[in-house]
Amino acid sequence: MNVFEMDRNFVIAAYSVMWVVVLGYLVRLIRKGSRARTDYDGMVGANGGEKP
Amino acid sequence: MPDISSDRSAATPPPRTSVWLGFVAFAAVIFAQTFSILTSPADRDMGHLQKIMYVHVPAAWMTFLAFLVVFVYSMRYLWKQNENDDLLAASAAEVGAVFNGLTLMLGMIWGRPAWGVWWVWDARLTSTLVLFLIFVGYLALRAFVDDSVQRAKWSAAVGAIGAINVPIVYMSVKWWRTLHQPQSSPGTLDPAYTLGLRLNAIALLLVLIYFIRKRYEIARLERAIEDFAQAAAMGGK
């Protein structure tokens, strides 16, 4: 493997890590948000539409 | 940053974070990365490794910004005792820890081919790791304290003191002799790389704002659910 190919692999690794971390966190936020919103709406519904 | 923490009581969740902000933020990152990769020439010394700068440096800047938000809202909580300030500081701390971890990983990937080692205990790397550990500790503290007032007070103290490490991290390459190069900024870069760095920083700033808003929305929802549970436990509605 020449130096150029090695450099390219590290660049690809860096961008891949960046996207995995950012998209992974995004998915976590969306899932957590959706679950919290469902729980909250359910509690408000069970409370006759009144908020705490 | 607009004041989004004092609009309503903690029991009332904020409106949903705009999905469009998320789309625009991620589209901006794709555009900025494509533009900078395609237009920047290979560096004389580092060759194509220089392109790692477009993700590593903006990630470090976003870490600093997130912890600045933690500092401001932690101080504000200590001053005004508004629970929403605590929730916003905690949201920024979590997002900041993600960007801090990302900065460390990207730095290691850049360091291996540039320096020949994944890690070296120099001032910049060590102080960045310490910053990361402080905010992991901050998040652990929040997870272990049940009483919301105690949790907010202790978190605000740790957040405000922890964020003092940010200027130490930033200045470490000037104050000590380090293997890490001096700060990369539009002022210290070859003009061929300036626009790409600026575009990537703006794009990642949009992602940072989206993440903090979304995390804050969730924190408010969780707090409102806690209020429901407490009211139910006390025989209320």
Short mmCIF file of all heavy atoms in Angstrom, two decimals, chain A residues 4 6-8 10-11 13-15 17-19 21-23 25-26 28-30 32-33 36-37 39-41 43-44 47 50-52, chain B residues 13-14 16 26 29 33 46 48-49 51 54-55 94-95 98 102 105-106 109 112-113 210-211 215 217-218 221-222 224-225 228 237:
data_model
loop_
_atom_site.label_atom_id
_atom_site.label_comp_id
_atom_site.label_asym_id
_atom_site.label_seq_id
_atom_site.Cartn_x
_atom_site.Cartn_y
_atom_site.Cartn_z
N PHE A 4 -0.23 7.39 -0.50
CA PHE A 4 -1.47 8.04 -0.92
C PHE A 4 -2.68 7.19 -0.54
O PHE A 4 -3.66 7.71 -0.01
CB PHE A 4 -1.46 8.27 -2.43
CG PHE A 4 -2.75 8.84 -2.94
CD1 PHE A 4 -3.09 10.17 -2.71
CD2 PHE A 4 -3.64 8.04 -3.65
CE1 PHE A 4 -4.29 10.70 -3.16
CE2 PHE A 4 -4.85 8.56 -4.10
CZ PHE A 4 -5.17 9.88 -3.86
N MET A 6 -2.82 4.95 1.83
CA MET A 6 -2.94 4.90 3.28
C MET A 6 -3.62 6.17 3.79
O MET A 6 -4.54 6.12 4.61
CB MET A 6 -1.55 4.76 3.90
CG MET A 6 -1.60 4.32 5.35
SD MET A 6 0.04 4.16 6.04
CE MET A 6 0.41 5.84 6.48
N ASP A 7 -3.21 7.33 3.25
CA ASP A 7 -3.83 8.60 3.63
C ASP A 7 -5.32 8.56 3.34
O ASP A 7 -6.13 8.98 4.16
CB ASP A 7 -3.22 9.77 2.84
CG ASP A 7 -1.85 10.15 3.37
OD1 ASP A 7 -1.40 9.50 4.32
OD2 ASP A 7 -1.24 11.07 2.81
N ARG A 8 -5.66 8.06 2.16
CA ARG A 8 -7.06 8.03 1.74
C ARG A 8 -7.88 7.17 2.70
O ARG A 8 -9.00 7.53 3.06
CB ARG A 8 -7.17 7.48 0.32
CG ARG A 8 -8.48 7.82 -0.36
CD ARG A 8 -8.55 7.25 -1.73
NE ARG A 8 -8.32 5.81 -1.72
CZ ARG A 8 -8.27 5.04 -2.80
NH1 ARG A 8 -8.39 5.58 -3.99
NH2 ARG A 8 -8.06 3.74 -2.71
N PHE A 10 -7.32 6.68 5.89
CA PHE A 10 -7.53 7.41 7.15
C PHE A 10 -8.59 8.51 6.97
O PHE A 10 -9.39 8.77 7.88
CB PHE A 10 -6.22 8.01 7.66
CG PHE A 10 -5.37 7.01 8.40
CD1 PHE A 10 -4.24 6.46 7.81
CD2 PHE A 10 -5.71 6.62 9.68
CE1 PHE A 10 -3.46 5.53 8.48
CE2 PHE A 10 -4.94 5.68 10.37
CZ PHE A 10 -3.81 5.14 9.77
N VAL A 11 -8.60 9.15 5.80
CA VAL A 11 -9.61 10.19 5.54
C VAL A 11 -11.00 9.54 5.51
O VAL A 11 -11.94 10.05 6.14
CB VAL A 11 -9.32 10.92 4.21
CG1 VAL A 11 -10.46 11.87 3.85
CG2 VAL A 11 -8.01 11.70 4.31
N ALA A 13 -11.87 6.79 6.96
CA ALA A 13 -12.18 6.36 8.34
C ALA A 13 -12.71 7.53 9.16
O ALA A 13 -13.70 7.40 9.89
CB ALA A 13 -10.94 5.77 8.99
N ALA A 14 -12.07 8.70 9.02
CA ALA A 14 -12.48 9.88 9.79
C ALA A 14 -13.90 10.29 9.43
O ALA A 14 -14.74 10.51 10.33
CB ALA A 14 -11.51 11.03 9.55
N TYR A 15 -14.19 10.38 8.15
CA TYR A 15 -15.54 10.80 7.74
C TYR A 15 -16.58 9.75 8.13
O TYR A 15 -17.71 10.09 8.50
CB TYR A 15 -15.58 11.12 6.24
CG TYR A 15 -15.04 12.50 5.93
CD1 TYR A 15 -13.66 12.73 5.86
CD2 TYR A 15 -15.88 13.58 5.74
CE1 TYR A 15 -13.15 14.00 5.61
CE2 TYR A 15 -15.38 14.85 5.49
CZ TYR A 15 -14.02 15.05 5.42
OH TYR A 15 -13.52 16.32 5.18
N VAL A 17 -16.44 7.68 10.74
CA VAL A 17 -16.65 7.79 12.19
C VAL A 17 -17.56 8.98 12.50
O VAL A 17 -18.50 8.89 13.30
CB VAL A 17 -15.30 7.92 12.94
CG1 VAL A 17 -15.50 8.41 14.36
CG2 VAL A 17 -14.56 6.60 12.94
N MET A 18 -17.30 10.10 11.81
CA MET A 18 -18.11 11.30 12.04
C MET A 18 -19.58 11.02 11.76
O MET A 18 -20.47 11.35 12.57
CB MET A 18 -17.59 12.43 11.15
CG MET A 18 -18.31 13.74 11.30
SD MET A 18 -19.50 13.91 9.97
CE MET A 18 -20.48 15.26 10.54
N TRP A 19 -19.87 10.38 10.63
CA TRP A 19 -21.27 10.12 10.26
C TRP A 19 -21.92 9.07 11.17
O TRP A 19 -23.09 9.19 11.52
CB TRP A 19 -21.37 9.71 8.79
CG TRP A 19 -21.37 10.92 7.90
CD1 TRP A 19 -20.33 11.39 7.14
CD2 TRP A 19 -22.45 11.86 7.73
NE1 TRP A 19 -20.70 12.55 6.52
CE2 TRP A 19 -21.98 12.87 6.84
CE3 TRP A 19 -23.74 11.98 8.23
CZ2 TRP A 19 -22.77 13.95 6.45
CZ3 TRP A 19 -24.53 13.06 7.83
CH2 TRP A 19 -24.05 14.03 6.96
N VAL A 21 -21.22 8.50 14.34
CA VAL A 21 -21.49 9.13 15.64
C VAL A 21 -22.69 10.08 15.54
O VAL A 21 -23.63 10.03 16.34
CB VAL A 21 -20.24 9.88 16.16
CG1 VAL A 21 -20.58 10.74 17.37
CG2 VAL A 21 -19.15 8.88 16.53
N VAL A 22 -22.68 10.95 14.52
CA VAL A 22 -23.72 11.97 14.41
C VAL A 22 -25.08 11.32 14.09
O VAL A 22 -26.09 11.65 14.72
CB VAL A 22 -23.33 13.02 13.35
CG1 VAL A 22 -24.49 13.93 13.03
CG2 VAL A 22 -22.17 13.85 13.85
N LEU A 23 -25.11 10.39 13.15
CA LEU A 23 -26.38 9.74 12.81
C LEU A 23 -26.85 8.84 13.95
O LEU A 23 -28.05 8.74 14.22
CB LEU A 23 -26.26 8.95 11.51
CG LEU A 23 -26.14 9.80 10.24
CD1 LEU A 23 -26.04 8.91 9.01
CD2 LEU A 23 -27.33 10.75 10.08
N TYR A 25 -26.37 9.33 17.13
CA TYR A 25 -26.96 10.21 18.16
C TYR A 25 -28.31 10.74 17.70
O TYR A 25 -29.25 10.84 18.49
CB TYR A 25 -26.00 11.35 18.48
CG TYR A 25 -26.46 12.19 19.66
CD1 TYR A 25 -26.58 11.62 20.93
CD2 TYR A 25 -26.81 13.52 19.50
CE1 TYR A 25 -27.03 12.37 22.01
CE2 TYR A 25 -27.26 14.28 20.58
CZ TYR A 25 -27.36 13.70 21.83
OH TYR A 25 -27.81 14.44 22.90
N LEU A 26 -28.43 11.05 16.41
CA LEU A 26 -29.71 11.54 15.86
C LEU A 26 -30.80 10.48 16.04
O LEU A 26 -31.91 10.80 16.49
CB LEU A 26 -29.54 11.88 14.37
CG LEU A 26 -30.82 12.29 13.64
CD1 LEU A 26 -31.32 13.64 14.14
CD2 LEU A 26 -30.58 12.35 12.12
N ARG A 28 -30.89 8.09 18.21
CA ARG A 28 -31.17 7.97 19.64
C ARG A 28 -32.12 9.07 20.09
O ARG A 28 -33.09 8.82 20.83
CB ARG A 28 -29.85 8.05 20.41
CG ARG A 28 -29.99 7.88 21.90
CD ARG A 28 -28.63 7.86 22.58
NE ARG A 28 -28.78 7.68 24.01
CZ ARG A 28 -28.94 8.68 24.87
NH1 ARG A 28 -28.97 9.92 24.45
NH2 ARG A 28 -29.07 8.44 26.16
N LEU A 29 -31.86 10.31 19.64
CA LEU A 29 -32.73 11.44 20.02
C LEU A 29 -34.14 11.25 19.48
O LEU A 29 -35.12 11.51 20.18
CB LEU A 29 -32.16 12.75 19.47
CG LEU A 29 -31.00 13.40 20.20
CD1 LEU A 29 -30.66 14.74 19.57
CD2 LEU A 29 -31.31 13.60 21.68
N ILE A 30 -34.26 10.82 18.23
CA ILE A 30 -35.59 10.66 17.63
C ILE A 30 -36.38 9.57 18.37
O ILE A 30 -37.55 9.76 18.71
CB ILE A 30 -35.46 10.34 16.12
CG1 ILE A 30 -34.99 11.59 15.38
CG2 ILE A 30 -36.79 9.87 15.54
CD1 ILE A 30 -34.63 11.37 13.93
N LYS A 32 -35.89 8.45 21.49
CA LYS A 32 -36.16 8.88 22.86
C LYS A 32 -37.28 9.92 22.87
O LYS A 32 -38.16 9.90 23.72
CB LYS A 32 -34.87 9.47 23.46
CG LYS A 32 -34.83 9.49 24.95
CD LYS A 32 -33.45 9.88 25.44
CE LYS A 32 -33.42 9.88 26.96
NZ LYS A 32 -32.15 10.22 27.51
N GLY A 33 -37.23 10.85 21.90
CA GLY A 33 -38.24 11.91 21.80
C GLY A 33 -39.61 11.34 21.50
O GLY A 33 -40.62 11.76 22.09
N ALA A 36 -40.93 9.63 24.65
CA ALA A 36 -41.33 10.60 25.68
C ALA A 36 -42.63 11.30 25.27
O ALA A 36 -43.51 11.52 26.10
CB ALA A 36 -40.22 11.62 25.89
N ARG A 37 -42.76 11.63 23.99
CA ARG A 37 -43.97 12.32 23.51
C ARG A 37 -45.19 11.40 23.66
O ARG A 37 -46.26 11.84 24.09
CB ARG A 37 -43.74 12.76 22.06
CG ARG A 37 -44.85 13.54 21.42
CD ARG A 37 -45.06 14.93 21.98
NE ARG A 37 -43.99 15.89 21.72
CZ ARG A 37 -44.06 17.17 22.08
NH1 ARG A 37 -45.14 17.65 22.67
NH2 ARG A 37 -43.05 18.00 21.85
N ASP A 39 -45.56 8.90 25.82
CA ASP A 39 -45.86 8.77 27.25
C ASP A 39 -46.60 10.02 27.75
O ASP A 39 -47.59 9.93 28.48
CB ASP A 39 -44.57 8.60 28.07
CG ASP A 39 -43.95 7.23 27.85
OD1 ASP A 39 -44.62 6.38 27.21
OD2 ASP A 39 -42.80 7.01 28.28
N TYR A 40 -46.10 11.18 27.34
CA TYR A 40 -46.70 12.44 27.80
C TYR A 40 -48.14 12.57 27.29
O TYR A 40 -49.05 12.89 28.06
CB TYR A 40 -45.84 13.62 27.31
CG TYR A 40 -46.42 14.96 27.70
CD1 TYR A 40 -46.27 15.46 28.99
CD2 TYR A 40 -47.12 15.73 26.77
CE1 TYR A 40 -46.81 16.67 29.35
CE2 TYR A 40 -47.66 16.94 27.12
CZ TYR A 40 -47.51 17.42 28.41
OH TYR A 40 -48.05 18.62 28.76
N ASP A 41 -48.34 12.32 25.99
CA ASP A 41 -49.69 12.43 25.42
C ASP A 41 -50.64 11.44 26.10
O ASP A 41 -51.80 11.77 26.35
CB ASP A 41 -49.65 12.18 23.91
CG ASP A 41 -48.97 13.33 23.16
OD1 ASP A 41 -48.80 14.41 23.77
OD2 ASP A 41 -48.60 13.16 21.98
N MET A 43 -50.40 10.34 29.19
CA MET A 43 -50.70 10.81 30.54
C MET A 43 -51.69 11.97 30.50
O MET A 43 -52.60 12.05 31.32
CB MET A 43 -49.41 11.24 31.24
CG MET A 43 -48.62 10.05 31.74
SD MET A 43 -47.17 10.56 32.64
CE MET A 43 -46.83 9.09 33.58
N VAL A 44 -51.52 12.87 29.54
CA VAL A 44 -52.45 13.99 29.40
C VAL A 44 -53.84 13.46 29.04
O VAL A 44 -54.85 13.90 29.61
CB VAL A 44 -51.95 14.99 28.32
CG1 VAL A 44 -53.02 16.03 28.01
CG2 VAL A 44 -50.68 15.68 28.78
N ASN A 47 -55.52 11.98 31.90
CA ASN A 47 -55.84 13.01 32.90
C ASN A 47 -56.98 13.91 32.40
O ASN A 47 -57.13 15.03 32.88
CB ASN A 47 -54.57 13.83 33.17
CG ASN A 47 -54.59 14.46 34.54
OD1 ASN A 47 -55.13 13.89 35.48
ND2 ASN A 47 -54.01 15.64 34.64
N GLU A 50 -55.96 17.37 30.86
CA GLU A 50 -55.33 18.41 31.69
C GLU A 50 -53.84 18.14 31.87
O GLU A 50 -53.43 17.00 32.12
CB GLU A 50 -55.97 18.43 33.07
CG GLU A 50 -57.15 19.37 33.17
CD GLU A 50 -57.58 19.53 34.61
OE1 GLU A 50 -56.75 19.93 35.43
OE2 GLU A 50 -58.75 19.22 34.90
N LYS A 51 -53.05 19.21 31.76
CA LYS A 51 -51.61 19.06 31.97
C LYS A 51 -51.31 19.19 33.46
O LYS A 51 -52.12 19.76 34.19
CB LYS A 51 -50.88 20.13 31.16
CG LYS A 51 -51.04 19.85 29.67
CD LYS A 51 -50.50 20.96 28.82
CE LYS A 51 -50.73 20.60 27.36
NZ LYS A 51 -50.34 21.67 26.45
N PRO A 52 -50.17 18.66 33.91
CA PRO A 52 -49.89 18.68 35.35
C PRO A 52 -49.68 20.10 35.87
O PRO A 52 -49.22 20.94 35.14
CB PRO A 52 -48.59 17.87 35.49
CG PRO A 52 -47.95 17.97 34.16
CD PRO A 52 -49.07 18.04 33.17
N PRO B 13 -44.23 21.00 28.21
CA PRO B 13 -43.18 20.75 27.23
C PRO B 13 -43.17 21.81 26.13
O PRO B 13 -44.22 22.37 25.81
CB PRO B 13 -43.53 19.39 26.65
CG PRO B 13 -44.77 18.97 27.27
CD PRO B 13 -45.27 20.00 28.20
N PRO B 14 -42.00 22.09 25.60
CA PRO B 14 -41.93 23.08 24.52
C PRO B 14 -42.50 22.49 23.24
O PRO B 14 -42.69 21.28 23.15
CB PRO B 14 -40.42 23.32 24.38
CG PRO B 14 -39.81 22.04 24.81
CD PRO B 14 -40.72 21.46 25.85
N ARG B 16 -42.65 21.04 19.42
CA ARG B 16 -41.72 20.11 18.77
C ARG B 16 -40.62 20.87 18.04
O ARG B 16 -40.89 21.89 17.41
CB ARG B 16 -42.47 19.26 17.74
CG ARG B 16 -43.37 18.23 18.36
CD ARG B 16 -44.25 17.63 17.29
NE ARG B 16 -45.36 16.90 17.90
CZ ARG B 16 -45.32 15.60 18.20
NH1 ARG B 16 -44.24 14.91 17.95
NH2 ARG B 16 -46.35 15.00 18.74
N PHE B 26 -28.46 18.78 8.19
CA PHE B 26 -27.74 17.63 7.61
C PHE B 26 -27.45 17.84 6.12
O PHE B 26 -26.40 17.42 5.62
CB PHE B 26 -28.50 16.33 7.88
CG PHE B 26 -28.26 15.84 9.29
CD1 PHE B 26 -29.09 16.23 10.33
CD2 PHE B 26 -27.15 15.06 9.59
CE1 PHE B 26 -28.84 15.83 11.63
CE2 PHE B 26 -26.89 14.66 10.88
CZ PHE B 26 -27.74 15.04 11.91
N VAL B 29 -24.37 19.90 6.01
CA VAL B 29 -23.14 19.13 6.26
C VAL B 29 -22.72 18.38 4.99
O VAL B 29 -21.54 18.38 4.62
CB VAL B 29 -23.36 18.13 7.43
CG1 VAL B 29 -22.15 17.21 7.58
CG2 VAL B 29 -23.59 18.88 8.74
N GLN B 33 -19.20 19.23 3.18
CA GLN B 33 -18.15 18.20 3.07
C GLN B 33 -17.84 17.91 1.61
O GLN B 33 -16.67 17.76 1.24
CB GLN B 33 -18.60 16.93 3.79
CG GLN B 33 -18.61 17.12 5.30
CD GLN B 33 -18.84 15.84 6.07
OE1 GLN B 33 -19.16 14.80 5.50
NE2 GLN B 33 -18.71 15.90 7.38
N MET B 46 1.01 17.41 4.38
CA MET B 46 0.13 16.33 4.84
C MET B 46 -0.62 15.63 3.73
O MET B 46 -1.32 14.63 3.98
CB MET B 46 -0.88 16.87 5.85
CG MET B 46 -0.36 16.88 7.24
SD MET B 46 -1.70 17.11 8.39
CE MET B 46 -1.40 18.75 8.92
N HIS B 48 -3.48 14.45 1.38
CA HIS B 48 -4.94 14.43 1.52
C HIS B 48 -5.39 14.28 2.97
O HIS B 48 -6.58 14.45 3.26
CB HIS B 48 -5.53 13.32 0.66
CG HIS B 48 -5.43 13.65 -0.81
ND1 HIS B 48 -6.20 14.62 -1.40
CD2 HIS B 48 -4.61 13.18 -1.78
CE1 HIS B 48 -5.89 14.72 -2.68
NE2 HIS B 48 -4.92 13.87 -2.94
N LEU B 49 -4.46 13.98 3.87
CA LEU B 49 -4.82 13.90 5.30
C LEU B 49 -5.40 15.21 5.80
O LEU B 49 -6.19 15.24 6.74
CB LEU B 49 -3.59 13.57 6.14
CG LEU B 49 -3.14 12.13 6.19
CD1 LEU B 49 -1.87 12.04 7.02
CD2 LEU B 49 -4.21 11.23 6.76
N LYS B 51 -7.69 16.83 4.73
CA LYS B 51 -9.16 16.87 4.64
C LYS B 51 -9.84 16.45 5.96
O LYS B 51 -11.02 16.74 6.16
CB LYS B 51 -9.63 16.00 3.48
CG LYS B 51 -9.28 16.61 2.13
CD LYS B 51 -9.64 15.73 0.97
CE LYS B 51 -9.40 16.42 -0.36
NZ LYS B 51 -8.01 16.92 -0.56
N TYR B 54 -11.53 19.26 8.11
CA TYR B 54 -12.89 19.77 7.92
C TYR B 54 -13.91 19.12 8.86
O TYR B 54 -15.02 19.63 8.99
CB TYR B 54 -13.34 19.56 6.47
CG TYR B 54 -12.51 20.32 5.47
CD1 TYR B 54 -11.86 19.67 4.43
CD2 TYR B 54 -12.35 21.70 5.59
CE1 TYR B 54 -11.09 20.37 3.52
CE2 TYR B 54 -11.57 22.41 4.68
CZ TYR B 54 -10.95 21.73 3.65
OH TYR B 54 -10.18 22.42 2.76
N VAL B 55 -13.57 18.00 9.46
CA VAL B 55 -14.48 17.40 10.45
C VAL B 55 -13.93 17.55 11.87
O VAL B 55 -14.68 17.79 12.81
CB VAL B 55 -14.80 15.91 10.15
CG1 VAL B 55 -15.85 15.79 9.06
CG2 VAL B 55 -13.57 15.12 9.79
N GLU B 94 -24.87 17.06 27.28
CA GLU B 94 -24.90 15.76 26.60
C GLU B 94 -24.41 15.89 25.15
O GLU B 94 -23.59 15.10 24.68
CB GLU B 94 -26.31 15.18 26.64
CG GLU B 94 -26.37 13.78 26.05
CD GLU B 94 -27.77 13.19 26.07
OE1 GLU B 94 -28.30 12.95 27.16
OE2 GLU B 94 -28.32 12.98 24.97
N VAL B 95 -24.94 16.91 24.45
CA VAL B 95 -24.54 17.12 23.06
C VAL B 95 -23.04 17.46 22.99
O VAL B 95 -22.32 16.97 22.12
CB VAL B 95 -25.39 18.23 22.41
CG1 VAL B 95 -24.92 18.52 20.99
CG2 VAL B 95 -26.87 17.84 22.41
N VAL B 98 -20.94 14.42 23.24
CA VAL B 98 -20.90 13.67 21.97
C VAL B 98 -19.86 14.29 21.03
O VAL B 98 -19.02 13.59 20.46
CB VAL B 98 -22.30 13.66 21.30
CG1 VAL B 98 -22.22 13.10 19.88
CG2 VAL B 98 -23.28 12.84 22.12
N LEU B 102 -16.29 12.78 19.74
CA LEU B 102 -16.02 12.74 18.30
C LEU B 102 -14.68 13.44 17.98
O LEU B 102 -13.87 12.93 17.19
CB LEU B 102 -17.18 13.43 17.56
CG LEU B 102 -17.09 13.50 16.04
CD1 LEU B 102 -17.08 12.10 15.43
CD2 LEU B 102 -18.26 14.30 15.47
N MET B 105 -11.85 11.12 18.88
CA MET B 105 -11.68 9.99 17.93
C MET B 105 -11.08 10.48 16.62
O MET B 105 -10.17 9.84 16.05
CB MET B 105 -13.05 9.33 17.67
CG MET B 105 -13.49 8.43 18.80
SD MET B 105 -14.92 7.46 18.33
CE MET B 105 -16.22 8.62 18.57
N LEU B 106 -11.58 11.61 16.11
CA LEU B 106 -11.06 12.13 14.83
C LEU B 106 -9.61 12.55 14.97
O LEU B 106 -8.80 12.37 14.05
CB LEU B 106 -11.92 13.31 14.36
CG LEU B 106 -13.37 12.97 13.99
CD1 LEU B 106 -14.17 14.23 13.71
CD2 LEU B 106 -13.41 12.04 12.79
N ILE B 109 -7.49 9.48 14.76
CA ILE B 109 -7.39 8.98 13.37
C ILE B 109 -6.44 9.85 12.56
O ILE B 109 -5.72 9.37 11.69
CB ILE B 109 -8.80 8.93 12.73
CG1 ILE B 109 -9.65 7.88 13.42
CG2 ILE B 109 -8.71 8.65 11.23
CD1 ILE B 109 -11.12 7.90 13.03
N ARG B 112 -2.54 9.25 13.97
CA ARG B 112 -1.82 8.01 13.63
C ARG B 112 -0.94 8.16 12.38
O ARG B 112 0.26 7.88 12.43
CB ARG B 112 -2.82 6.86 13.50
CG ARG B 112 -2.20 5.52 13.15
CD ARG B 112 -1.31 5.03 14.28
NE ARG B 112 -0.63 3.79 13.95
CZ ARG B 112 0.51 3.69 13.27
NH1 ARG B 112 1.10 4.79 12.82
NH2 ARG B 112 1.08 2.52 13.06
N PRO B 113 -1.50 8.64 11.25
CA PRO B 113 -0.63 8.80 10.07
C PRO B 113 0.27 10.04 10.15
O PRO B 113 1.36 10.06 9.58
CB PRO B 113 -1.62 8.92 8.90
CG PRO B 113 -2.88 9.41 9.51
CD PRO B 113 -2.93 8.87 10.91
N TYR B 210 -29.66 22.10 16.36
CA TYR B 210 -30.76 21.12 16.24
C TYR B 210 -30.70 20.10 17.38
O TYR B 210 -31.70 19.80 18.02
CB TYR B 210 -30.70 20.42 14.88
CG TYR B 210 -31.72 19.32 14.75
CD1 TYR B 210 -33.07 19.61 14.59
CD2 TYR B 210 -31.34 17.98 14.82
CE1 TYR B 210 -34.02 18.60 14.50
CE2 TYR B 210 -32.29 16.96 14.72
CZ TYR B 210 -33.62 17.29 14.56
OH TYR B 210 -34.55 16.28 14.48
N PHE B 211 -29.52 19.57 17.62
CA PHE B 211 -29.36 18.55 18.67
C PHE B 211 -29.74 19.11 20.05
O PHE B 211 -30.44 18.45 20.82
CB PHE B 211 -27.92 18.04 18.71
CG PHE B 211 -27.61 16.95 17.71
CD1 PHE B 211 -26.30 16.49 17.54
CD2 PHE B 211 -28.60 16.39 16.93
CE1 PHE B 211 -26.00 15.49 16.62
CE2 PHE B 211 -28.32 15.39 16.01
CZ PHE B 211 -27.01 14.93 15.86
N ARG B 215 -32.82 17.78 22.24
CA ARG B 215 -32.54 17.17 23.55
C ARG B 215 -33.27 17.92 24.66
O ARG B 215 -33.74 17.33 25.63
CB ARG B 215 -31.02 17.16 23.82
CG ARG B 215 -30.62 16.41 25.08
CD ARG B 215 -30.98 14.95 24.97
NE ARG B 215 -30.86 14.21 26.22
CZ ARG B 215 -31.79 14.13 27.17
NH1 ARG B 215 -32.93 14.78 27.03
NH2 ARG B 215 -31.58 13.40 28.26
N GLU B 217 -36.09 19.60 24.28
CA GLU B 217 -37.52 19.23 24.15
C GLU B 217 -37.79 17.92 24.91
O GLU B 217 -38.76 17.81 25.66
CB GLU B 217 -37.86 19.07 22.67
CG GLU B 217 -39.28 18.60 22.40
CD GLU B 217 -39.46 18.05 20.99
OE1 GLU B 217 -38.75 18.51 20.06
OE2 GLU B 217 -40.30 17.15 20.81
N ILE B 218 -36.89 16.95 24.73
CA ILE B 218 -37.05 15.65 25.41
C ILE B 218 -36.93 15.83 26.93
O ILE B 218 -37.70 15.25 27.69
CB ILE B 218 -36.00 14.64 24.89
CG1 ILE B 218 -36.24 14.35 23.41
CG2 ILE B 218 -36.04 13.35 25.70
CD1 ILE B 218 -35.09 13.63 22.73
N LEU B 221 -40.11 17.16 28.28
CA LEU B 221 -41.14 16.12 28.29
C LEU B 221 -40.94 15.17 29.47
O LEU B 221 -41.88 14.83 30.18
CB LEU B 221 -41.09 15.32 26.98
CG LEU B 221 -41.74 15.96 25.76
CD1 LEU B 221 -41.35 15.20 24.49
CD2 LEU B 221 -43.27 15.96 25.90
N GLU B 222 -39.68 14.75 29.66
CA GLU B 222 -39.38 13.82 30.75
C GLU B 222 -39.70 14.46 32.11
O GLU B 222 -40.20 13.79 33.02
CB GLU B 222 -37.91 13.40 30.70
CG GLU B 222 -37.62 12.46 29.53
CD GLU B 222 -36.14 12.19 29.31
OE1 GLU B 222 -35.30 12.99 29.78
OE2 GLU B 222 -35.82 11.19 28.66
N ALA B 224 -41.98 16.78 32.65
CA ALA B 224 -43.43 16.85 32.78
C ALA B 224 -44.00 15.48 33.18
O ALA B 224 -44.91 15.40 34.01
CB ALA B 224 -44.05 17.31 31.46
N ILE B 225 -43.41 14.42 32.63
CA ILE B 225 -43.85 13.06 32.98
C ILE B 225 -43.55 12.78 34.47
O ILE B 225 -44.36 12.20 35.18
CB ILE B 225 -43.17 12.02 32.06
CG1 ILE B 225 -43.71 12.17 30.64
CG2 ILE B 225 -43.39 10.60 32.56
CD1 ILE B 225 -42.90 11.44 29.58
N PHE B 228 -46.21 14.37 36.51
CA PHE B 228 -47.42 13.55 36.48
C PHE B 228 -47.30 12.42 37.50
O PHE B 228 -48.20 12.17 38.30
CB PHE B 228 -47.61 12.93 35.10
CG PHE B 228 -48.56 13.69 34.22
CD1 PHE B 228 -48.16 14.18 33.00
CD2 PHE B 228 -49.88 13.88 34.61
CE1 PHE B 228 -49.03 14.87 32.17
CE2 PHE B 228 -50.77 14.56 33.79
CZ PHE B 228 -50.34 15.06 32.57
N LYS B 237 -54.29 14.37 40.89
CA LYS B 237 -54.98 13.92 39.69
C LYS B 237 -54.17 12.86 38.98
O LYS B 237 -52.97 12.94 38.97
CB LYS B 237 -55.19 15.09 38.75
CG LYS B 237 -56.29 15.98 39.24
CD LYS B 237 -56.55 17.08 38.23
CE LYS B 237 -57.65 17.98 38.69
NZ LYS B 237 -57.90 19.07 37.78
#
